[in-house]
Amino acid sequence: MAFFDKLKRMMGFSSAQATREEGTGKLEPGEKIRGRPRIHVLATGGTIAGRLVSTGPRYRAGVLGIEALLDAVPALRGLADLSHEQVANIGSQDMDESIWLNLARRVNELLASPDVDGVVITHGTDTLEETACFLDLAVDSVKPVVLVGATRPAGALGADGPGNLLDAVTVTANPASSGRGVLVVMHGSLFEARDITKVSSSALPAFAAPNSGPLGQLVDGRIHYGQRTVLSPKRPCFDVSRLDKLPPVGIVYGHAGASALPIKAMLDAGYRGIVSAGVGSGNLHRDVLAALADASGRGVVVVRASRVPSGLTLRNVEVDDNRFGFVAAGMLNPQKARVLLQLALTRTRKPEEIQKVFDSY
Ligand code: GLU
């Protein structure tokens, strides 16, 4: 019987009953792994697979294959039976929806198998948070899915990839990680996909969850969950198995003296949704407000988020969302609001329905 099926039984769930809301992994923090979990590693590139180069830019992301990454950390084999596959080998600035859709399908397929207890995904840090959010919304399983990256390439002094990878497998192998949605492990901390964001382009630690903080910490290979995960029973989950593309949605960045020009370009290009990375609590320059109100009137769904790194964007604070038919992003930053809007648009174009989807994530 698969490792997590055993866990569900221990916890009193039949396989048919188990849902992502139920499997909250009630083992003690730091409890040792029992048995040999089987973990599949999907590699997509990034600095964790990067190498220092002697000419031109200092290093290149997405060079090393997954076998080299796993071989560099022999201790991994002591934690789990590992299988692996290379999905892509790119800098995550080139991540796109076709890779997302493939990844989601593959992760769902793997986790549906009794032979796989969890999935680790190696990823560049630039867009890691968006992929984590997409998978959080498109993977339907209680089994752990953990994304991991590195900010220093192999060969650099203080390379963080091997330690992060070891931590990611440690988290994935631990029953207490089940039923928590997609997780991200970086620099000794463990985060939920929804709130994590890259907060430094140069210093470590590079990630934080500004509104909720980390879910837990890893110390000497032991996980200490500091927070319980309570996933809403109404949490959205999208079936992307039959999609080959997502509706086009753009982001417009707010600033002093902002112009409506990017919005006009998006309307001309047939975008179905626009996310505003507004100022303050998602406020908009008057020209931008007028253009977005016009877009909304034409059936383009407008979501107001904020360029401010923490805090919430709530409805009808300084902007009359009811009047303009806008959606408020709540806790999601603009790039994650874009992910959720793309998925929500596969179901409906009604802003009030889309607001409910945002409110339930
Ligand atoms: N830009 C590359 C990427 O996101 C390297 C950055 C990194 O992984 O830290 O894949």
Side-chain angles (χ1 to χ4, degrees):
M1 186 187 297
F3 185 69
F4 281 97
D5 286 345
K6 269 191 217 154
L7 168 72
K8 282 182 227 154
R9 266 214 161 166
M10 274 162 46
M11 294 165 72
F13 303 141
S14 73
S15 298
Q17 278 174 323
T19 69
R20 58 194 300 168
E21 284 78 37
E22 289 170 315
T24 46
K26 291 279 164 47
L27 301 189
E28 288 305 307
E31 186 163 341
K32 283 242 163 106
I33 302 156
R34 294 191 212 135
R36 291 279 299 172
R38 287 156 301 175
I39 294 175
H40 196 76
V41 184
L42 297 170
T44 70
T47 294
I48 195 166
R51 209 186 242 145
L52 293 171
V53 289
S54 47
T55 53
R58 267 190 299 143
Y59 78 94
R60 217 170 291 135
V63 177
L64 302 171
I66 182 58
E67 281 170 30
L69 300 195
L70 298 178
D71 288 348
V73 194
L76 291 172
R77 310 275 176 195
L79 293 177
D81 291 340
L82 297 177
S83 50
H84 57 79
E85 111 195 35
Q86 193 83 41
V87 175
N89 211 355
I90 56 170
S92 72
Q93 57 269 46
D94 291 328
M95 186 51 66
D96 61 29
E97 65 194 46
S98 77
I99 300 177
W100 281 352
L101 291 167
N102 281 339
L103 260 182
R105 274 192 286 267
R106 186 68 183 124
V107 173
N108 277 317
E109 181 180 64
L110 286 163
L111 296 184
S113 160
D115 298 330
V116 178
D117 296 315
V119 169
V120 169
I121 300 169
T122 60
H123 200 289
T125 62
D126 290 0
T127 61
L128 186 148
E129 64 194 84
E130 287 160 72
T131 301
C133 179
F134 179 80
L135 294 175
D136 199 36
L137 291 161
V139 169
D140 193 10
S141 175
V142 288
K143 296 177 184 175
V145 177
V146 176
L147 275 82
V148 63
T151 48
R152 291 177 183 153
L157 215 55
D160 50 333
N164 288 343
L165 192 54
L166 192 63
D167 283 349
V169 172
T170 301
V171 168
T172 310
N174 194 306
S177 306
S178 69
R180 292 178 182 268
V182 169
L183 301 172
V184 175
V185 169
M186 287 293 290
H187 307 138
S189 292
L190 176 62
F191 300 93
E192 282 184 337
R194 189 180 55 162
D195 195 24
I196 187 174
T197 190
K198 187 167 181 176
V199 291
S200 175
S201 55
S202 50
L204 301 189
F207 283 84
N211 285 310
S212 59
L215 261 186
Q217 312 276 336
L218 283 121
V219 184
D220 296 333
R222 288 191 148 223
I223 311 165
H224 301 270
Y225 276 104
Q227 292 184 34
R228 281 179 207 284
T229 302
V230 183
L231 299 177
S232 156
K234 294 195 184 121
R235 195 164 190 260
C237 187
F238 296 87
D239 177 4
V240 298
S241 57
R242 277 184 282 278
L243 298 179
D244 56 8
K245 57 184 173 31
L246 295 171
V249 171
I251 299 178
V252 291
Y253 199 86
H255 55 88
S259 145
L261 216 58
I263 296 163
K264 292 190 175 128
M266 286 179 196
L267 293 181
D268 289 347
Y271 277 40
R272 300 253 308 273
I274 298 176
V275 175
S276 159
V279 295
S281 55
N283 292 320
L284 310 160
H285 181 279
R286 58 183 172 272
D287 294 351
V288 171
L289 176 61
L292 288 178
D294 175 54
S296 172
R298 297 194 209 182
V300 172
V301 178
V302 174
V303 174
R304 280 193 314 106
S306 173
R307 68 178 195 176
V308 180
S310 68
L312 308 176
T313 308
L314 300 173
R315 289 187 70 77
N316 303 318
V317 177
E318 285 189 67
V319 178
D320 192 343
D321 294 306
N322 290 351
R323 175 173 165 211
F324 299 117
F326 294 164
V327 173
M331 194 196 271
L332 296 187
N333 67 21
Q335 54 272 33
K336 290 189 195 172
R338 176 180 174 271
V339 171
L340 182 52
L341 180 54
Q342 283 190 293
L343 287 166
L345 281 167
T346 64
R347 280 191 191 158
T348 176
R349 294 183 78 157
K350 290 190 186 144
E352 56 282 8
E353 292 301 314
I354 292 179
Q355 183 69 65
K356 284 188 201 151
V357 173
F358 273 75
D359 292 346
S360 60
Y361 182 43

PDB file of all heavy atoms in Angstrom, residues 4 27 38 98 103 146 170 191 205 216 240 247 260 289 317 324 336 358:
ATOM      1  N   PHE A   4       1.209   7.250   1.511  1.00  0.00           N
ATOM      2  CA  PHE A   4       0.186   8.194   1.960  1.00  0.00           C
ATOM      3  C   PHE A   4      -1.188   7.543   2.066  1.00  0.00           C
ATOM      4  O   PHE A   4      -2.032   8.014   2.812  1.00  0.00           O
ATOM      5  CB  PHE A   4       0.167   9.444   1.063  1.00  0.00           C
ATOM      6  CG  PHE A   4       1.280  10.377   1.446  1.00  0.00           C
ATOM      7  CD1 PHE A   4       2.480  10.358   0.755  1.00  0.00           C
ATOM      8  CD2 PHE A   4       1.159  11.188   2.550  1.00  0.00           C
ATOM      9  CE1 PHE A   4       3.522  11.174   1.148  1.00  0.00           C
ATOM     10  CE2 PHE A   4       2.204  12.006   2.944  1.00  0.00           C
ATOM     11  CZ  PHE A   4       3.387  12.002   2.253  1.00  0.00           C
ATOM     12  N   LEU A  27       0.767  14.258  12.277  1.00  0.00           N
ATOM     13  CA  LEU A  27       1.899  13.742  13.039  1.00  0.00           C
ATOM     14  C   LEU A  27       2.609  14.890  13.746  1.00  0.00           C
ATOM     15  O   LEU A  27       2.461  16.048  13.400  1.00  0.00           O
ATOM     16  CB  LEU A  27       2.862  13.006  12.111  1.00  0.00           C
ATOM     17  CG  LEU A  27       2.250  11.829  11.360  1.00  0.00           C
ATOM     18  CD1 LEU A  27       3.325  11.048  10.655  1.00  0.00           C
ATOM     19  CD2 LEU A  27       1.469  10.916  12.284  1.00  0.00           C
ATOM     20  N   ARG A  38       8.051   7.153  -1.808  1.00  0.00           N
ATOM     21  CA  ARG A  38       8.505   7.201  -3.209  1.00  0.00           C
ATOM     22  C   ARG A  38       8.187   8.571  -3.789  1.00  0.00           C
ATOM     23  O   ARG A  38       7.021   8.963  -3.862  1.00  0.00           O
ATOM     24  CB  ARG A  38       7.816   6.085  -3.998  1.00  0.00           C
ATOM     25  CG  ARG A  38       8.398   4.729  -3.641  1.00  0.00           C
ATOM     26  CD  ARG A  38       7.451   3.626  -3.894  1.00  0.00           C
ATOM     27  NE  ARG A  38       6.226   3.804  -3.138  1.00  0.00           N
ATOM     28  CZ  ARG A  38       5.168   3.021  -3.253  1.00  0.00           C
ATOM     29  NH1 ARG A  38       5.175   2.022  -4.092  1.00  0.00           N
ATOM     30  NH2 ARG A  38       4.107   3.244  -2.523  1.00  0.00           N
ATOM     31  N   SER A  98       2.171  26.823 -21.431  1.00  0.00           N
ATOM     32  CA  SER A  98       2.178  25.465 -21.988  1.00  0.00           C
ATOM     33  C   SER A  98       2.956  24.532 -21.055  1.00  0.00           C
ATOM     34  O   SER A  98       2.553  23.388 -20.834  1.00  0.00           O
ATOM     35  CB  SER A  98       2.713  25.449 -23.425  1.00  0.00           C
ATOM     36  OG  SER A  98       4.101  25.558 -23.420  1.00  0.00           O
ATOM     37  N   LEU A 103       2.850  20.481 -16.771  1.00  0.00           N
ATOM     38  CA  LEU A 103       3.238  20.153 -15.389  1.00  0.00           C
ATOM     39  C   LEU A 103       2.021  19.713 -14.579  1.00  0.00           C
ATOM     40  O   LEU A 103       2.066  18.704 -13.863  1.00  0.00           O
ATOM     41  CB  LEU A 103       3.834  21.385 -14.707  1.00  0.00           C
ATOM     42  CG  LEU A 103       5.344  21.522 -14.586  1.00  0.00           C
ATOM     43  CD1 LEU A 103       5.669  22.806 -13.841  1.00  0.00           C
ATOM     44  CD2 LEU A 103       5.975  20.334 -13.881  1.00  0.00           C
ATOM     45  N   VAL A 146       6.036  19.880  -3.693  1.00  0.00           N
ATOM     46  CA  VAL A 146       6.950  20.869  -3.122  1.00  0.00           C
ATOM     47  C   VAL A 146       7.830  21.456  -4.221  1.00  0.00           C
ATOM     48  O   VAL A 146       8.499  20.718  -4.943  1.00  0.00           O
ATOM     49  CB  VAL A 146       7.826  20.219  -2.028  1.00  0.00           C
ATOM     50  CG1 VAL A 146       8.850  21.210  -1.501  1.00  0.00           C
ATOM     51  CG2 VAL A 146       6.954  19.713  -0.877  1.00  0.00           C
ATOM     52  N   THR A 170      12.992  16.173   2.169  1.00  0.00           N
ATOM     53  CA  THR A 170      12.624  15.921   3.571  1.00  0.00           C
ATOM     54  C   THR A 170      11.157  16.287   3.814  1.00  0.00           C
ATOM     55  O   THR A 170      10.395  15.534   4.422  1.00  0.00           O
ATOM     56  CB  THR A 170      13.523  16.769   4.514  1.00  0.00           C
ATOM     57  OG1 THR A 170      14.870  16.415   4.278  1.00  0.00           O
ATOM     58  CG2 THR A 170      13.182  16.532   5.978  1.00  0.00           C
ATOM     59  N   PHE A 191       6.834  27.308   2.915  1.00  0.00           N
ATOM     60  CA  PHE A 191       5.787  28.306   2.681  1.00  0.00           C
ATOM     61  C   PHE A 191       4.612  27.697   1.926  1.00  0.00           C
ATOM     62  O   PHE A 191       4.787  26.776   1.125  1.00  0.00           O
ATOM     63  CB  PHE A 191       6.324  29.443   1.796  1.00  0.00           C
ATOM     64  CG  PHE A 191       7.499  30.178   2.362  1.00  0.00           C
ATOM     65  CD1 PHE A 191       8.797  29.779   2.041  1.00  0.00           C
ATOM     66  CD2 PHE A 191       7.332  31.272   3.193  1.00  0.00           C
ATOM     67  CE1 PHE A 191       9.897  30.463   2.538  1.00  0.00           C
ATOM     68  CE2 PHE A 191       8.434  31.962   3.692  1.00  0.00           C
ATOM     69  CZ  PHE A 191       9.706  31.555   3.371  1.00  0.00           C
ATOM     70  N   PRO A 205      17.787  35.332   3.024  1.00  0.00           N
ATOM     71  CA  PRO A 205      16.831  34.537   2.260  1.00  0.00           C
ATOM     72  C   PRO A 205      16.083  35.398   1.239  1.00  0.00           C
ATOM     73  O   PRO A 205      15.802  36.561   1.492  1.00  0.00           O
ATOM     74  CB  PRO A 205      15.882  33.988   3.333  1.00  0.00           C
ATOM     75  CG  PRO A 205      16.001  34.923   4.480  1.00  0.00           C
ATOM     76  CD  PRO A 205      17.371  35.524   4.429  1.00  0.00           C
ATOM     77  N   GLY A 216       6.528  26.800   8.345  1.00  0.00           N
ATOM     78  CA  GLY A 216       7.405  26.062   9.240  1.00  0.00           C
ATOM     79  C   GLY A 216       8.866  26.303   8.902  1.00  0.00           C
ATOM     80  O   GLY A 216       9.186  27.056   7.979  1.00  0.00           O
ATOM     81  N   VAL A 240      -7.545  21.252 -15.523  1.00  0.00           N
ATOM     82  CA  VAL A 240      -6.907  21.796 -16.733  1.00  0.00           C
ATOM     83  C   VAL A 240      -6.547  20.679 -17.712  1.00  0.00           C
ATOM     84  O   VAL A 240      -5.832  20.906 -18.682  1.00  0.00           O
ATOM     85  CB  VAL A 240      -5.637  22.632 -16.380  1.00  0.00           C
ATOM     86  CG1 VAL A 240      -6.016  23.830 -15.527  1.00  0.00           C
ATOM     87  CG2 VAL A 240      -4.575  21.796 -15.681  1.00  0.00           C
ATOM     88  N   PRO A 247      -6.775  31.788 -21.130  1.00  0.00           N
ATOM     89  CA  PRO A 247      -7.176  33.105 -21.660  1.00  0.00           C
ATOM     90  C   PRO A 247      -6.084  34.147 -21.434  1.00  0.00           C
ATOM     91  O   PRO A 247      -5.444  34.152 -20.381  1.00  0.00           O
ATOM     92  CB  PRO A 247      -8.424  33.452 -20.835  1.00  0.00           C
ATOM     93  CG  PRO A 247      -8.876  32.166 -20.238  1.00  0.00           C
ATOM     94  CD  PRO A 247      -7.676  31.298 -20.084  1.00  0.00           C
ATOM     95  N   ALA A 260      -2.666  55.325 -19.728  1.00  0.00           N
ATOM     96  CA  ALA A 260      -3.624  54.282 -20.125  1.00  0.00           C
ATOM     97  C   ALA A 260      -3.144  53.501 -21.345  1.00  0.00           C
ATOM     98  O   ALA A 260      -3.801  52.550 -21.780  1.00  0.00           O
ATOM     99  CB  ALA A 260      -4.972  54.924 -20.416  1.00  0.00           C
ATOM    100  N   LEU A 289      -7.864  54.548 -14.354  1.00  0.00           N
ATOM    101  CA  LEU A 289      -9.200  54.182 -13.879  1.00  0.00           C
ATOM    102  C   LEU A 289     -10.208  54.296 -15.024  1.00  0.00           C
ATOM    103  O   LEU A 289     -11.017  53.383 -15.239  1.00  0.00           O
ATOM    104  CB  LEU A 289      -9.608  55.094 -12.714  1.00  0.00           C
ATOM    105  CG  LEU A 289     -11.030  54.895 -12.178  1.00  0.00           C
ATOM    106  CD1 LEU A 289     -11.226  53.479 -11.644  1.00  0.00           C
ATOM    107  CD2 LEU A 289     -11.346  55.901 -11.083  1.00  0.00           C
ATOM    108  N   VAL A 317     -12.592  50.360  -1.247  1.00  0.00           N
ATOM    109  CA  VAL A 317     -11.920  51.185  -0.246  1.00  0.00           C
ATOM    110  C   VAL A 317     -11.836  52.622  -0.778  1.00  0.00           C
ATOM    111  O   VAL A 317     -12.575  53.496  -0.335  1.00  0.00           O
ATOM    112  CB  VAL A 317     -10.532  50.614   0.129  1.00  0.00           C
ATOM    113  CG1 VAL A 317      -9.817  51.525   1.115  1.00  0.00           C
ATOM    114  CG2 VAL A 317     -10.698  49.218   0.752  1.00  0.00           C
ATOM    115  N   PHE A 324     -17.809  50.047 -11.041  1.00  0.00           N
ATOM    116  CA  PHE A 324     -17.044  49.746 -12.262  1.00  0.00           C
ATOM    117  C   PHE A 324     -17.013  48.253 -12.609  1.00  0.00           C
ATOM    118  O   PHE A 324     -16.484  47.875 -13.642  1.00  0.00           O
ATOM    119  CB  PHE A 324     -15.606  50.260 -12.114  1.00  0.00           C
ATOM    120  CG  PHE A 324     -15.531  51.753 -11.904  1.00  0.00           C
ATOM    121  CD1 PHE A 324     -15.019  52.281 -10.740  1.00  0.00           C
ATOM    122  CD2 PHE A 324     -16.009  52.618 -12.881  1.00  0.00           C
ATOM    123  CE1 PHE A 324     -14.962  53.658 -10.542  1.00  0.00           C
ATOM    124  CE2 PHE A 324     -15.962  54.003 -12.693  1.00  0.00           C
ATOM    125  CZ  PHE A 324     -15.446  54.522 -11.523  1.00  0.00           C
ATOM    126  N   LYS A 336       0.149  36.642  -9.029  1.00  0.00           N
ATOM    127  CA  LYS A 336      -0.704  35.490  -8.674  1.00  0.00           C
ATOM    128  C   LYS A 336      -2.166  35.774  -9.005  1.00  0.00           C
ATOM    129  O   LYS A 336      -2.911  34.860  -9.367  1.00  0.00           O
ATOM    130  CB  LYS A 336      -0.550  35.157  -7.201  1.00  0.00           C
ATOM    131  CG  LYS A 336       0.808  34.567  -6.924  1.00  0.00           C
ATOM    132  CD  LYS A 336       0.882  34.043  -5.536  1.00  0.00           C
ATOM    133  CE  LYS A 336       2.336  33.813  -5.197  1.00  0.00           C
ATOM    134  NZ  LYS A 336       2.506  33.472  -3.804  1.00  0.00           N
ATOM    135  N   PHE A 358     -11.983  34.465  -6.097  1.00  0.00           N
ATOM    136  CA  PHE A 358     -10.859  35.114  -5.371  1.00  0.00           C
ATOM    137  C   PHE A 358     -11.081  35.034  -3.868  1.00  0.00           C
ATOM    138  O   PHE A 358     -10.148  34.765  -3.109  1.00  0.00           O
ATOM    139  CB  PHE A 358     -10.701  36.582  -5.821  1.00  0.00           C
ATOM    140  CG  PHE A 358      -9.810  36.727  -7.030  1.00  0.00           C
ATOM    141  CD1 PHE A 358     -10.251  36.376  -8.290  1.00  0.00           C
ATOM    142  CD2 PHE A 358      -8.509  37.195  -6.888  1.00  0.00           C
ATOM    143  CE1 PHE A 358      -9.419  36.485  -9.408  1.00  0.00           C
ATOM    144  CE2 PHE A 358      -7.668  37.310  -7.997  1.00  0.00           C
ATOM    145  CZ  PHE A 358      -8.126  36.954  -9.254  1.00  0.00           C
TER     146      PHE A 358
END
